[in-house]
Amino acid sequence: VMRIITIIAVIKLFCLNYYLSISINKIHTTKTDDQIITILDQNFGYDTTIIEVIGTEINGTIPSQIGYLSNLEILDIRSNLLLIGTIPSEIGKLTSMTYLNFDDNQFLSGPIPSEIGNINSLTYLQIYYNQIDGTLPSQLAYLANLSSLSIFNNYISGTIATQFGLLSNLESLNFVETQLSGTIPSEIGFLSLLTSLQLYSNKLLSGSIPTEIGKLNSLSEIVFDSNSLGGTLPQQLIHLTRLYYLSISENLISGTIPTNFGLFPSLFYLWMDNNRFVGTLPPQMMQLTKLFYLYISDNEFSGTIPSNIGQLTNLLGLSFANNHFSGVFPSQIAQLSNLYNFEVQSTNLMLKNDSYAPIICYQITNCLYSSISLDLCPKCYETPSPTPSETGSETPSETPSETTTGTTT
C-alpha cells in the first residue's frame, strides 16, 4: 500500500552527497521502515552536511537514526503539517551541527531534548509554532557558541534558568507565547553581545525588569509585552544608547517615568500602554525627537501635557487615552504634521478655542468620552460625557494594544 514517505525514506530517495533539500513535495514509497534504515546504512553517506525538509506532506516521525549523521551541520525541518512525534534525543549526537530549525510543524510535540545542550558547535536554534511542551532545559545554557535562541508559540513551561547568562555569544534571545513563569534572571546582564531581547506574551512571567539589562550596550530592541511584570521602570535603561524599540505594554509596571528617559538618542518606538504608571509626563521625555510612536494609554498619568511636545515632529502614532490628564492641549500639537493616529478618549483634556483648535481636532482619531467641546471638535461628545457604566454601552472595542501595540520577530 502506498503511503506518504517518512523522513528516512526522503533521505534515501533525494540524497545528494553533501546536501539534501526537499521543499513542497508529495512523495510516496512502498518501503518498510526496516528496509529504509538498511538503505540508509548502505548507501546514504555520512558526509552529508545539510538536510532541509520544508513544506512537505511527510507523514511520520523524525527517526532516531538521524543521530548517525555525524557530519551534519544544518538541519532545517519546517512547515511540514503532517509531521508528528517528538524531537529525538539522538539529535544531541550531531556535534558538528551549527543550525537547527523546527518551525511550524503543528503536530510536533514532546519536550525539547536536554541532549541538544551537547551540540557545542550550534549557533542557531529556533523552535516556532509546534506543540512542544515540558520545561525549558537548562542544558541549553551549555551552547557556548549560540548566537540566536528562539522559542515561539509552544507550551514550554518552567523558569528561565540563571545559567542562560553563560551564553556569552548570544545576540538574539526570544521566548514568546510560552508558559514560562518566574522572573527574568539578572544574569541576562552578562549577555554583552545581545542586540534583541524579546520576552513577550508569557502571561506567567513576573517580577521586575532587571536593572542589569542596562549593561547591555549592544541592545537595540526590548519587547516585554503581555507578561505580568511589575515593579518600576529601571533608570539604568538609559545606558542603552543603541535602543530603538522599547515595548512594555500590558504589564503591571508602576511608578513614574524617570526624567532621564528623554536621553535615549536612538529610540523610535515607545509602547508603555496598559500598565500602572502614575505622575506627570516629564518635559525631558519630549526630547525623544526620533520617535515614530508614543503610546502611554491605559495608565494612571495625570497633570498636563508638556508644551514642548511639538518637538516630536516625526510622530506617526500618539495615544494619551484612558488616563487622568487635565488642562488644555498645547497648541504645539498642531506642529505634528505626520500624525495619523491620535487617541485622547477618556481623558479630561480640552481644546483651547484658538486658531490651532481645528488643526488639532483634525489630527484626533478617537476622542470618545473626552472633555473636548463638541463645538470645537465635532468628532467628540459634549462635556460631561457619559461613562460606559452610565449608558450601559461597552467600552470602545478598539484600543491601542489591539490595533497598534508593537511586537518583532
Side-chain angles (χ1 to χ4, degrees), residues 226-275:
S226 303
N227 298 304
S228 296
L229 300 176
T232 59
L233 204 55
Q235 295 194 26
Q236 290 82 355
L237 295 183
I238 196 59
H239 301 307
L240 305 177
T241 56
R242 299 181 182 180
L243 194 68
Y244 78 89
Y245 195 107
L246 175 59
S247 185
I248 53 174
S249 302
E250 297 185 31
N251 282 285
L252 305 172
I253 302 170
S254 59
T256 59
I257 297 179
T259 56
N260 63 5
F261 251 52
L263 301 178
F264 285 110
S266 303
L267 199 62
F268 288 90
Y269 304 87
L270 180 55
W271 312 82
M272 304 173 65
D273 52 283
N274 289 277
N275 278 285

Side-chain angles (χ1 to χ4, degrees), residues 64-79:
S64 60
Q65 287 79 8
I66 201 166
Y68 295 161
L69 307 179
S70 57
N71 290 309
L72 196 63
E73 297 177 5
I74 294 175
L75 179 59
D76 192 352
I77 299 177
R78 53 190 161 98
S79 300

Side-chain angles (χ1 to χ4, degrees), residues 12 34-46 68:
K12 162 57 189 158
D34 289 342
Q35 289 173 313
I36 292 167
I37 293 170
T38 300
I39 292 171
L40 173 67
D41 290 342
Q42 294 176 349
N43 300 307
F44 183 63
Y46 299 113
Y68 295 161

Side-chain angles (χ1 to χ4, degrees), residues 167-186:
L167 297 173
S168 58
N169 288 302
L170 202 63
E171 298 177 10
S172 179
L173 176 60
N174 307 308
F175 295 145
V176 178
E177 294 185 27
T178 72
Q179 303 297 317
L180 289 173
S181 58
T183 61
I184 302 173
S186 60

